[in-house]
Amino acid sequence: MPAKLKAAGNPSKGFFIRMITRDISLTDCMLDLLDNSVDGINRLKHGASDGNAPRYSGFDVKIQFGERSFSISDNCGGIPIKIAQEYAFRFGRPDDVIEDSGQSIGLYGIGMKRAMFKMGKDINLVTSTGQESFSLDIDVDKWRDREPETDWDFDLTDVKRSGTEVPAGTTIKIHRLYPGIKRDFETPAFAIDMNHTVERDYAFILQQGLDIRVNDKKAKPIMPSFRESEQIAPMKITKKIGDVSIEISAGLATPPPEDDSSDATLTDMDVYGWYVVCNDRVVVTADKTALSGWGTPGVGIWHPQYYGFLGVARFDSHNPDLLPWKTTKRDVDPSSTVYKAAFLMMKEASAKFIEYTNKRKVELKKAREIERAAPTKSVLQVARRETMKLPTIATGGMTRICYNKPTADVEAVARALGMRSASPRAVGIRTFDYVKEKEVE
């Protein structure tokens, strides 16, 4: 019998490093490391109860970066030696891995390695559970070139299986940064953007007590908020599909603008739209595309008229594989069964808001007064409600006039009326009133 021949099918380390780091931003890599800290808390508190204390109270994460190095340190429970040996440093979580926590925001077991390899070539990790500890040092060039090619393991050093004096938590330091990473870290705007991203994408986690500091600046949660009064209130409905809990909230966040024409210049446009949150991690922000239903049958394409709409779709599960997020945690899978179920509810909410913004035009002054008088409430504070409540507009006896005219003509009429800085809508209303005064009354 001739000897069986085999063709090598394993990936090369160099190719793997290049591929897993190529399609993810530096900011998202840093958020992956933050996710690991949050998962450490969830692992530590799995099954435990602190009564009414916020889930992440007492835990902190510090991120520091500059032209020479990056570091992240936390007191979030550390990595147990057993988990390190079995899968924490594998590229991809094995199918038979032991579920280590409730409501994990880790997905496929690549985030920490991808983040470290993205930034630099000299990596040092020290971690402790408070009882046991170890260190791990990676010289990326030496690890990549090490023979045999199939050896992908990492050496654990300074292993203490009991009685460690290293404080509980994990610290990762990265030196010999890649040139592009150094340039980003040297840019003041990068630190500002990073802090804003943390405040927005970790808002639900920050609100529950986690202390995150980026280059010594404390992150404060930017929570989605709605207008709520006797005449205005967001909808908030819940649904359970298998092991996934869905919560949909939608309503008015701020009064629509005075000028809602298609060429209007509006601020804070990146605030309004749909947000998708998986296990308290914001993965989609202010979406105005077909992903959240805009421009699909029954719902119009996003228009400045809808400025002020806010929707939050939350998905929670003890099994993160069931949630609709993708590996970068910057997008959702529209083919997901749970997302499809939520999608229909999201579209109904958007359509309801669109209907209101059309009606309010006939009693604009009244609508604005009611909208502006309503105080704001965090999405966490609003009560459950089956339907969105919006000001009642009496449309009887009113007719809406809408037409297009050349821009130069509209500007000329505005100048003639002494309304140079007024919106086209205001100019149109004034011309109607002018004709009515002169020719009708």
Side-chain angles (χ1 to χ4, degrees), residues 180-400:
I181 304 300
K182 289 176 62 174
R183 283 195 295 274
D184 281 344
F185 284 167
E186 289 172 341
T187 306
F190 180 83
I192 295 172
D193 289 345
M194 181 66 196
N195 195 69
H196 175 77
T197 301
V198 169
E199 291 179 336
R200 181 194 63 196
D201 294 0
Y202 281 75
F204 291 85
I205 295 170
L206 290 167
Q207 191 70 21
Q208 296 178 70
L210 183 61
D211 186 328
I212 301 176
R213 293 170 192 265
V214 179
N215 280 356
D216 298 323
K217 183 175 181 181
K218 182 179 174 64
K220 300 176 182 177
I222 303 174
M223 289 299 296
S225 299
F226 298 96
R227 299 277 177 158
E228 187 172 82
S229 66
E230 290 186 0
Q231 295 164 291
I232 297 177
M235 58 168 277
K236 189 174 194 177
I237 55 178
T238 59
K239 188 171 185 177
K240 183 91 171 177
I241 297 181
D243 291 329
V244 179
S245 299
I246 303 172
E247 179 188 279
I248 307 292
S249 305
L252 179 75
T254 196
E258 300 279 338
D259 180 6
D260 62 7
S261 60
S262 58
D263 56 352
T265 301
L266 303 172
T267 59
D268 296 334
M269 279 297 290
D270 60 345
V271 172
Y272 306 105
W274 276 102
Y275 290 70
V276 179
V277 184
C278 293
N279 278 358
D280 289 337
R281 170 77 137 80
V282 177
V283 296
V284 171
T285 59
D287 186 79
K288 305 172 183 64
T289 72
L291 180 69
S292 56
W294 297 102
T296 61
V299 181
I301 295 173
W302 178 269
H303 184 277
Q305 175 179 322
Y306 314 140
Y307 179 102
F309 169 84
L310 192 68
V312 181
R314 298 183 66 184
F315 301 85
D316 293 294
S317 177
H318 288 284
N319 184 351
D321 286 339
L322 299 177
L323 300 177
W325 48 10
K326 292 186 177 179
T327 63
T328 59
K329 298 169 192 166
R330 271 280 170 261
D331 201 356
V332 295
D333 176 9
S335 67
S336 158
T337 300
V338 293
Y339 190 74
K340 285 181 177 178
F343 186 74
L344 296 175
M345 294 185 279
M346 293 161 67
K347 284 186 62 173
E348 289 179 6
S350 299
K352 172 83 172 176
F353 189 83
I354 290 173
E355 180 184 8
Y356 168 68
T357 60
N358 287 326
K359 286 182 177 177
R360 73 189 283 279
K361 293 176 180 177
V362 300
E363 281 197 273
L364 203 51
K365 184 179 178 182
K366 173 187 173 185
R368 283 177 180 155
E369 288 175 352
I370 296 172
E371 293 162 356
R372 289 168 179 164
T376 58
K377 271 190 178 179
S378 160
V379 64
L380 299 178
Q381 296 174 308
V382 299
R384 289 187 182 183
R385 183 181 178 84
E386 287 297 317
T387 60
M388 191 186 306
K389 188 175 184 180
L390 294 163
T392 301
I393 303 296
T395 57
M398 300 292 285
T399 300
R400 182 169 178 244

